[in-house]
Amino acid sequence: MMVVLLGATTLVLVAVAPWVLSAAAGGKNLKSPQKVEVDIIDDNFILRWNRSDESVGNVTFSFDYQKTGMDNWIKLSGCQNITSTKCNFSSLKLNVYEEIKLRIRAEKENTSSWYEVDSFTPFRKAQIGPPEVHLEAEDKAIVIHISPGTKDSVMWALDGLSFTYSLVIWKNSSGVEERIENIYSRHKIYKLSPETTYCLKVKAALLTSWKIGVYSPVHCIKTTVENELPPPENIEVSVQNQNYVLKWDYTYANMTFQVQWLHLYFRRPSAFLKRNPGNHLYKWKQIPDCENVKTTQCVFPQNVFQKGIYLLRVQASDGNNTSFWSEEIKFDTEIQAFLLPPVFNIRSLSDSFHIYIGAPKQSGNTPVIQDYPLIYEIIFWENTSNAERKIIEKKTDVTVPNLKPLTVYCVKARAHTMDEKLNKSSVFSDAVCEKTKPGNTSKIWLIVGICIALFALPFVIYAAKVFLRCINYVFFPSLKPSSSIDEYFSEQPLKNLLLSTSEEQIEKCFIIENISTIATVEETNQTDEDHKKYSSQTSQDSGNYSNEDESESKTSEELQQDFV
């Protein structure tokens, strides 16, 4: 019997052994997790992944991380021996601008190979979470206070003041949505209906990093009963001498008004004096000399405000009854105090002006620095006419076209802010008058005249020479030789000058020794071109000689008479 039992037991063990060995060896066959995703919303770091083999139970997962420049791997806190396919490692203190790398493996009796996740930078991968929203209701308005979803966020520590927001609002009864873009951490929606429920949702954006967040949960609020006293309207600020003048309109008379201001930092409406929405009401301050005002305006000195951007609002009261605050207006001290008329120079052409606009000058000839965009209104007219023409330009180099040549035009200009909400303008500058230059027709005639003069110059020179020759002939005649010499030269044919030396003529030579004695020697031309020979009655002197036909010779006595 014992032998039979032992045999059976041995058979059971032999049958079970392959299954046990297979189970023990199962750890070696664990597959690595796949499709690991990293989700970062604000300061929340979440990891998700897929299991490779759902049939294997009791498997855990662990993560390691590695920073840039490190060779060793570090265990990721919060993501060790995780039984689910999700873990949170938000408690890990990381530099959100530094690149990190992750890896994961499955674990049971044995472990799988590591699955590495592509390296990433937390800030670049992070998304903006839904903002926190706080609402306040009035009879015809809703005040919205917005703040980032994570207070004192590490992820957005350097961008906390750069958030802008957009919202969608609708009447709860209709569902017709209205979108409002690029609002800031405090916004007021006007012109709503009293005793009406409105719902809205808000999302944040970082335009500098091209990041847009997700919408907040829907918030609803009901406006109050319409107030007996309406709020003041049409608030405007102007500058007179060294004071600001604040004016508004109101329906009823015999009312008392007060004015409050809110300072905005860095010329940006997102950075308020205090960022806690719950304490927002304590940010508004009373303007001196604008409390319990009986008129619809108040005057206060410019030194009340330092350079910056402010919000202003007005409230009306009649005894114990008070209105809601008016619509807030933005007030920029630099624009209000230093929006001076522009300075410009004019360069005239034949049919246009080139106008170069510069910054206005303060006392001491120092240019005013205006770091806000302006547009320029330029008015010009003929000096002899009152018909004005206008040009609106954003640039400072302006061309005024279609002008008449040789005409006096006058120009004046003023500056406007490009922000339509401010809607502020400077006064016009002093008029500057300038005369346009001659047109192209005058230039053409000038060129034609020069060409004609150059073409006629040779004729003028020739005529002058002829005229001078006539003058010399009339007033300065040349000396005439004696009649016999004149006859000689006049009868000399011109062709003699062109004869070759082979056709020499008979020459006569007149030798004058004394005035009373003249000898004439005639010499006949030899056909064989012999040398000429001359003789004289004296051996003391030799005279001039000339060629002449033998038939035309004269006696020495006739010549002597001619000389006498």
Side-chain angles (χ1 to χ4, degrees):
M1 188 67 181
M2 289 295 295
V3 173
V4 174
L5 290 175
L6 288 173
T9 304
T10 304
L11 290 174
V12 171
L13 290 174
V14 171
V16 173
W19 179 85
V20 174
L21 291 174
S22 177
K28 297 180 182 179
N29 296 326
L30 286 177
K31 295 181 180 179
S32 302
Q34 302 293 322
K35 296 183 180 180
V36 180
E37 295 181 357
V38 181
D39 294 332
I40 304 175
I41 300 177
D42 293 333
D43 288 350
N44 295 317
F45 294 74
I46 307 295
L47 284 171
R48 293 183 176 89
W49 61 92
N50 292 339
R51 298 182 60 168
S52 298
D53 190 354
E54 297 288 345
S55 62
V56 180
N58 299 324
V59 178
T60 61
F61 304 93
S62 296
F63 276 90
D64 289 352
Y65 74 96
Q66 186 182 63
K67 295 181 180 179
T68 302
M70 293 176 56
D71 295 329
N72 58 315
W73 290 85
I74 305 173
K75 292 185 179 298
L76 185 62
S77 176
C79 293
Q80 298 295 314
N81 301 319
I82 302 298
T83 57
S84 65
T85 57
K86 174 183 176 180
C87 74
N88 187 318
F89 62 103
S90 303
S91 59
L92 182 65
K93 303 301 181 183
L94 293 174
N95 182 349
V96 297
Y97 304 101
E98 185 178 33
E99 194 174 77
I100 64 171
K101 197 171 185 179
L102 298 175
R103 67 181 184 180
I104 183 175
R105 69 181 179 183
E107 300 169 338
K108 198 173 181 182
E109 287 83 359
N110 293 311
T111 60
S112 70
S113 60
W114 289 103
Y115 175 85
E116 292 191 3
V117 183
D118 293 337
S119 60
F120 63 93
T121 302
F123 179 79
R124 293 183 178 180
K125 203 170 185 65
Q127 293 181 310
I128 303 172
E132 295 180 359
V133 180
H134 174 72
L135 303 179
E136 295 178 10
E138 297 180 1
D139 59 347
K140 298 180 181 180
I142 294 175
V143 182
I144 306 169
H145 304 280
I146 310 169
S147 60
T150 303
K151 297 179 181 179
D152 302 323
S153 171
V154 175
M155 185 66 67
W156 316 121
L158 300 180
D159 301 276
L161 302 181
S162 301
F163 280 109
T164 60
Y165 303 92
S166 60
L167 63 84
V168 178
I169 186 171
W170 62 93
K171 283 185 180 180
N172 193 35
S173 58
S174 68
V176 178
E177 296 181 346
E178 178 186 357
R179 297 181 181 274
I180 303 176
E181 303 290 340
N182 296 327
I183 64 175
Y184 297 95
S185 58
R186 182 188 181 277
H187 186 74
K188 192 172 183 178
I189 303 176
Y190 298 94
K191 299 178 181 179
L192 302 180
S193 301
E195 299 184 272
T196 303
T197 300
Y198 289 88
C199 297
L200 56 85
K201 56 183 179 180
V202 183
K203 66 179 178 180
L206 274 177
L207 300 181
T208 55
S209 302
W210 298 94
K211 290 182 178 294
I212 298 177
V214 297
Y215 278 108
S216 67
V218 175
H219 298 265
C220 297
I221 193 170
K222 185 177 182 179
T223 54
T224 62
V225 178
E226 185 173 4
N227 201 319
E228 295 180 2
L229 297 179
E233 298 178 340
N234 303 324
I235 303 173
E236 291 184 355
V237 181
S238 60
V239 178
Q240 291 183 2
N241 299 326
Q242 299 298 318
N243 296 322
Y244 293 120
V245 179
L246 184 67
K247 297 181 180 180
W248 58 88
D249 296 333
Y250 200 70
T251 306
Y252 305 128
N254 301 321
M255 304 294 293
T256 302
F257 303 93
Q258 63 172 332
V259 183
Q260 290 184 344
W261 61 271
L262 175 65
H263 185 204
L264 307 181
Y265 274 131
F266 309 121
R267 300 177 54 82
R268 295 167 61 182
S270 61
F272 288 91
L273 191 61
K274 294 183 180 179
R275 297 190 54 82
N276 186 350
N279 295 332
H280 175 71
L281 295 177
Y282 300 104
K283 300 180 201 178
W284 291 92
K285 295 184 179 181
Q286 192 73 38
I287 295 181
D289 303 326
C290 291
E291 188 176 5
N292 298 324
V293 179
K294 300 296 183 181
T295 61
T296 56
Q297 72 170 32
C298 70
V299 180
F300 53 95
Q302 290 188 16
N303 57 17
V304 169
F305 296 137
Q306 298 177 353
K307 289 184 180 180
I309 301 175
Y310 297 81
L311 295 179
L312 301 178
R313 64 182 185 180
V314 184
Q315 186 183 56
S317 62
D318 180 15
N320 294 327
N321 296 328
T322 59
S323 70
F324 285 110
W325 290 100
S326 68
E327 186 172 345
E328 300 159 5
I329 66 165
K330 189 165 62 175
F331 168 63
D332 190 331
T333 58
E334 291 188 8
I335 292 179
Q336 294 292 339
F338 299 104
L339 190 56
L340 302 177
V343 176
F344 59 89
N345 294 321
I346 298 177
R347 183 169 68 91
S348 64
L349 299 176
S350 59
D351 60 350
S352 63
F353 278 160
H354 283 178
I355 301 177
Y356 304 94
I357 301 175
K361 303 293 180 61
Q362 290 179 327
S363 58
N365 204 31
T366 303
V368 177
I369 299 175
Q370 296 173 332
D371 55 351
Y372 38 82
L374 298 175
I375 58 176
Y376 300 97
E377 178 185 355
I378 300 171
I379 305 292
F380 61 97
W381 65 95
E382 289 187 31
N383 195 29
T384 57
S385 173
N386 292 327
E388 295 182 344
R389 294 160 61 186
K390 180 169 68 173
I391 293 178
I392 303 295
E393 287 286 351
K394 295 180 181 180
K395 56 187 179 181
T396 57
D397 184 0
V398 182
T399 299
V400 179
N402 303 325
L403 303 182
K404 299 176 183 178
L406 295 175
T407 305
V408 177
Y409 288 87
C410 295
V411 180
K412 63 181 180 180
R414 66 175 175 175
H416 303 275
T417 58
M418 295 181 65
D419 190 341
E420 295 180 356
K421 294 181 180 180
L422 293 175
N423 193 23
K424 299 302 176 183
S425 304
S426 71
V427 297
F428 275 105
S429 64
D430 295 333
V432 177
C433 297
E434 191 79 15
K435 187 176 183 180
T436 54
K437 294 183 178 180
N440 294 330
T441 304
S442 301
K443 293 181 180 179
I444 293 173
W445 280 111
L446 179 62
I447 294 172
V448 170
I450 292 174
C451 292
I452 292 174
L454 293 174
F455 182 76
L457 184 61
F459 298 96
V460 173
I461 294 173
Y462 178 77
K465 286 185 176 181
V466 173
F467 180 73
L468 290 175
R469 193 175 296 172
C470 293
I471 293 295
N472 289 334
Y473 180 79
V474 174
F475 295 100
F476 306 100
S478 59
L479 296 177
K480 293 183 178 181
S482 61
S483 58
S484 60
I485 296 176
D486 186 49
E487 291 177 2
Y488 172 78
F489 284 105
S490 62
E491 293 175 358
Q492 176 79 11
L494 182 61
K495 66 180 182 177
N496 292 341
L497 299 176
L498 303 176
L499 292 176
S500 62
T501 55
S502 62
E503 298 179 358
E504 292 185 357
Q505 304 295 322
I506 298 173
E507 296 180 351
K508 283 187 179 182
C509 181
F510 302 95
I511 301 173
I512 303 173
E513 293 181 353
N514 295 320
I515 297 177
S516 61
T517 306
I518 300 175
T520 304
V521 178
E522 295 183 358
E523 187 173 313
T524 305
N525 185 24
Q526 305 296 329
T527 58
D528 58 356
E529 297 183 356
D530 293 338
H531 291 288
K532 297 179 179 68
K533 296 181 180 179
Y534 303 94
S535 62
S536 176
Q537 292 180 357
T538 65
S539 60
Q540 297 179 358
D541 194 5
S542 63
N544 298 324
Y545 58 91
S546 64
N547 294 330
E548 190 176 21
D549 291 341
E550 187 173 357
S551 61
E552 294 177 355
S553 63
K554 292 187 180 181
T555 63
S556 61
E557 289 82 4
E558 291 174 344
L559 290 173
Q560 186 175 5
Q561 290 178 0
D562 291 336
F563 279 103
V564 174

